[in-house]
């Protein structure tokens, strides 16, 4: 009996709508508008939350002129690490970016040394593993290495041979993108291992140094740009 009543009620509602009964259409329109308003409120709240976290991170970065040498403006992230709220904001923003843009990630790959500060926290949030890219000679066992250029010469980066398997999807993370040398070296290590680099993530990007060009075609996501 209840089922028959329910079907009858739904049928009556359809008939009223089909034949343009004003009261039914008006109520349906109000319900639709209410749903749209709710979605807009949620989107606004999320955007406001994102902006607030970004501002907190930005306030936590200090600038030191002429360090480590004259003419360089050094961006110091130490206050972020000292402030639990600022550190959480960084990981929140990275996590949201990953979840919104990458459906499947196998590993977070962090660069020596400050990539180690953010990478494991993000990997834990995502429920995936973390891999270290280190300066040559710092890892035990069989390793794979690549050389890359520095202002004053060359350096080598390496990972353990069994750290990344062919076909795995990885994201690279570091604190800073300047000239792009170390991130490029990390991407070359992933290429050697036949892994797929989904993108690079950094807290700070120094845009005037054009490091992003060196990393093409890989996409770079940065929280702050100077």
């Amino acid at each position: 009996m209840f089922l028959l009543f329910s079907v009858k009620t739904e049928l009556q509602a359809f008939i009223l709508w089909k034949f343009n009964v004003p009261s039914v259409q008006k109520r349906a329109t109000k319900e639709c508008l209410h749903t749209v308003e709710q979605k807009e409120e949620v989107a606004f709240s999320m955007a406001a939350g994102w902006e607030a976290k970004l501002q907190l991170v930005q306030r936590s970065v200090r600038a030191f002129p002429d360090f480590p040498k004259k003419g360089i403006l050094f961006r110091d992230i130490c206050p972020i690490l000292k402030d639990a709220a600022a550190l959480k904001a960084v990981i929140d923003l990275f996590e949201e970016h990953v979840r919104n843009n990458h459906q499947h990630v196998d590993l977070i790959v962090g660069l020596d040394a400050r990539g180690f500060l953010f990478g494991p926290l993000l990997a834990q949030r995502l429920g995936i593993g973390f891999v270290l890219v280190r300066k040559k000679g710092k890892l035990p066992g069989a390793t794979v290495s690549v050389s890359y250029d520095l202002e004053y010469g060359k350096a080598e980066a390496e990972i353990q041979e069994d750290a990344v398997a062919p076909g795995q999807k990885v994201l690279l993370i570091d604190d800073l993108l300047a000239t792009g040398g170390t991130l490029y070296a990390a991407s070359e290590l992933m290429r050697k291992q036949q892994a797929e680099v989904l993108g690079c993530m950094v807290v700070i990007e120094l845009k005037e140094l054009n490091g992003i060009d060196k990393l093409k075609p890989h996409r770079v996501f940065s929280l702050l740009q100077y």
Side-chain angles (χ1 to χ4, degrees), residues 111 147-150 177-187 211 214-215:
L111 277 64
S147 63
Y148 60 99
D149 294 325
L150 298 170
L177 171 60
T179 61
T182 51
L183 276 167
Y184 176 76
S187 68
K214 193 176 186 68
L215 298 174

Side-chain angles (χ1 to χ4, degrees), residues 97-164:
H97 168 75
V98 175
R99 294 194 185 281
N100 288 341
N101 294 278
H102 304 288
Q103 291 186 347
H104 178 72
V105 183
D106 294 306
L107 295 167
I108 300 295
V109 177
L111 277 64
D112 195 343
R114 295 186 180 183
F116 303 166
L117 302 174
F118 304 106
L121 296 174
L122 177 60
Q124 186 181 47
R125 286 275 193 94
L126 298 170
I128 59 178
F130 175 77
V131 169
L132 296 81
V133 171
R134 295 221 63 186
K135 295 179 177 67
K136 189 170 178 61
K138 300 292 186 180
L139 291 170
T143 60
V144 178
S145 65
V146 296
S147 63
Y148 60 99
D149 294 325
L150 298 170
E151 285 182 57
Y152 48 84
K154 287 185 175 291
E156 285 190 72
E158 64 181 8
I159 59 169
Q160 290 177 315
E161 199 173 62
D162 60 355
V164 182

Side-chain angles (χ1 to χ4, degrees), residues 154-200:
K154 287 185 175 291
E156 285 190 72
E158 64 181 8
I159 59 169
Q160 290 177 315
E161 199 173 62
D162 60 355
V164 182
Q168 285 194 301
K169 298 177 185 295
V170 304
L171 283 166
L172 308 181
I173 190 168
D174 203 0
D175 68 320
L176 177 74
L177 171 60
T179 61
T182 51
L183 276 167
Y184 176 76
S187 68
E188 285 296 288
L189 282 171
M190 295 304 106
R191 185 181 63 81
K192 277 192 171 185
Q193 295 299 93
Q194 300 177 48
E196 180 182 350
V197 177
L198 300 176
C200 307

Side-chain angles (χ1 to χ4, degrees), residues 26-153:
K26 186 176 181 181
R27 185 171 69 249
T29 301
K30 285 178 68 177
E31 289 175 355
C32 182
L33 287 172
H34 181 64
T35 301
V36 170
E37 287 172 357
Q38 284 182 321
K39 288 182 178 179
E40 287 177 347
E41 286 177 6
V42 170
F44 179 79
S45 176
M46 289 176 64
W50 175 279
E51 187 61 31
K53 290 174 182 177
L54 206 54
Q55 288 178 6
L56 174 58
V57 175
Q58 190 165 31
R59 290 196 304 270
S60 301
V61 175
R62 298 184 297 191
F64 287 95
D66 299 324
F67 183 85
K69 63 182 182 180
K70 192 169 180 62
I72 294 178
L73 183 62
F74 185 83
R75 305 287 179 176
D76 179 26
I77 63 164
C78 290
I80 292 176
L81 304 174
K82 185 180 177 181
D83 183 348
L87 181 57
K88 181 179 182 299
V90 168
I91 305 306
D92 286 348
L93 294 169
F94 279 146
E95 180 187 9
E96 186 172 341
H97 168 75
V98 175
R99 294 194 185 281
N100 288 341
N101 294 278
H102 304 288
Q103 291 186 347
H104 178 72
V105 183
D106 294 306
L107 295 167
I108 300 295
V109 177
L111 277 64
D112 195 343
R114 295 186 180 183
F116 303 166
L117 302 174
F118 304 106
L121 296 174
L122 177 60
Q124 186 181 47
R125 286 275 193 94
L126 298 170
I128 59 178
F130 175 77
V131 169
L132 296 81
V133 171
R134 295 221 63 186
K135 295 179 177 67
K136 189 170 178 61
K138 300 292 186 180
L139 291 170
T143 60
V144 178
S145 65
V146 296
S147 63
Y148 60 99
D149 294 325
L150 298 170
E151 285 182 57
Y152 48 84

